Amino acid sequence: MRVDIGAGYRLYFTRRRKVLIIMLAGGDKSSQRRDIKRAQRIADQLEE
C-alpha cells in the first residue's frame, strides 16, 4: 500500500484468514528493501 503524501510512504500489511493486519512496517522508497524484510520477519512472528 502506498500513501501519496510527502515522500510517498509505503505501508506493509498481511492477512491471516479473514483478519487484515495493517502497518507491520513502513518507510519511504529509500528504505523499501529493508522495510520489506522487516515486515516479513514481523509477519513470520505472527505465526508463532
Side-chain angles (χ1 to χ4, degrees):
M1 179 182 304
R2 182 169 184 222
V3 178
D4 290 322
I5 296 175
Y9 298 105
R10 276 95 167 136
L11 306 177
Y12 301 99
F13 62 93
T14 188
R15 289 180 193 249
R16 293 296 184 260
R17 296 186 185 101
K18 292 187 176 188
V19 176
L20 176 64
I21 302 168
I22 300 176
M23 197 55 183
L24 296 176
D28 60 18
K29 189 174 181 177
S30 68
S31 62
Q32 186 171 1
R33 286 185 187 194
R34 183 176 61 239
D35 298 334
I36 289 171
K37 288 179 183 179
R38 182 175 175 212
Q40 289 170 334
R41 285 194 309 269
I42 294 169
D44 290 344
Q45 291 175 355
L46 294 173
E47 298 298 322
E48 297 175 358

